[in-house]
Amino acid sequence: MTQNSRPTAPKAWHAKRPFASPGMIRRLASTVMLVGIVASIWGVAYDINGATQAKAEVAVAVHLRPERALKVGGTTPAGTPGTVLVQDGPEGLGPFAFTIPAIPGDSVRLDGHGHTVTLRSWGSTVPEQLLNRGGFAVVGLCVGLGAVWLRRVLTSIAEGRPFQPGNAARIAGMGALVALATLANDILPVIGGHLVLQRLGLIGPSSPIYVEVVPSLGLLLMVPFLLVLAEAFRRGAELANELEGLV
């Protein structure tokens, strides 16, 4: 005598299991807020500290013109005085000083390799220091404000109300903060570098070095993602309101 067993449906308990518990989300919200406070305070303090470093060294990223050679008098990497010739290429460049009229020979130097090198110059001004570090201040403030909004979103998710009014606007605002922080971090140091080159008399097409904005495309790609997420939360809030109206 045989007994046929009926196939049983697979358990769906795993489909109802939360990806993150409310307690874990609340802890994450607290961590996000702590990071935001530290980042905002540190960014502003670092920029203000730069203003107190006027007349000291300022370091800016500069680019070598491929069609020109940087030919200056100074000290070669071997330590002997003479003409220093720097060309665009993969070879490394040790730190060396070079001479600019009316600028002490040991107050300006280059180091780096390839197309992008670092120009280090003593005798900096307050605007140069503020702009050179200004990106950190803006990023810190944006992280602080974004942390406040993100904490509100995470708290509502932990309470089981992810589509409460205001969450969509907060997520869209975080996208705007990412764009603002990225652009400020890309542009402000370049403006500061331009002031440094202007002070040294290295401005214009005849100068063998220049500064330019190099956009951080990777971070900017987060902006449309956050805007799409904000739209999804907005539609979710509308559907939640419609369901409440049917009850």
Side-chain angles (χ1 to χ4, degrees):
M1 181 177 179
T2 60
Q3 183 178 1
N4 296 327
S5 59
R6 297 178 61 184
T8 59
K11 293 182 179 181
W13 64 271
H14 58 277
K16 299 179 181 179
R17 185 176 182 181
F19 293 102
S21 65
M24 185 179 106
I25 296 176
R26 288 190 179 93
R27 288 191 294 272
L28 179 60
S30 300
T31 303
V32 165
M33 196 64 217
L34 178 61
V35 171
I37 293 173
V38 173
S40 58
I41 294 176
W42 180 86
V44 174
Y46 183 68
D47 194 26
I48 295 175
N49 177 261
T52 65
Q53 303 297 316
K55 301 301 181 182
E57 184 183 78
V58 61
V60 296
V62 298
H63 306 278
L64 303 178
R65 296 189 188 277
E67 70 278 7
R68 290 183 176 273
L70 179 58
K71 187 176 181 181
V72 294
T75 304
T76 66
T80 59
T83 299
V84 177
L85 181 64
V86 181
Q87 292 180 328
D88 188 22
E91 67 278 1
L93 304 176
F96 60 90
F98 62 94
T99 302
I100 296 176
I103 300 293
D106 59 351
S107 66
V108 184
R109 71 181 191 274
L110 291 174
D111 64 81
H113 63 86
H115 178 64
T116 304
V117 296
T118 301
L119 172 70
R120 303 183 184 277
S121 170
W122 284 82
S124 62
T125 64
V126 171
E128 290 172 5
Q129 292 283 4
L130 285 175
L131 289 168
N132 193 45
R133 301 188 182 192
F136 292 98
V138 176
V139 169
L141 292 174
C142 288
V143 170
L145 181 56
V148 174
W149 291 341
L150 181 56
R151 180 181 179 276
R152 294 285 297 275
V153 173
L154 292 174
T155 301
S156 66
I157 293 175
E159 295 172 350
R161 299 181 295 110
F163 300 119
Q164 74 173 20
N167 276 353
R170 293 184 187 104
I171 295 174
M174 285 188 282
L177 289 177
V178 170
L180 175 61
T182 302
L183 293 175
N185 197 44
D186 290 340
I187 295 174
L188 292 182
V190 171
I191 299 176
H194 179 83
L195 293 180
V196 174
L197 295 186
Q198 190 173 41
R199 172 170 57 85
L200 299 176
L202 295 173
I203 288 295
S206 60
S207 173
I209 57 178
Y210 65 99
V211 292
E212 68 175 358
V213 176
V214 180
S216 303
L217 298 179
L219 291 175
L220 289 176
L221 289 177
M222 292 179 58
V223 176
F225 170 77
L226 289 172
L227 294 179
V228 170
L229 184 62
E231 178 62 18
F233 269 72
R234 188 188 70 81
R235 290 293 300 147
E238 289 180 354
L239 293 175
N241 291 333
E242 292 175 2
L243 290 176
E244 288 180 2
L246 294 176
V247 177

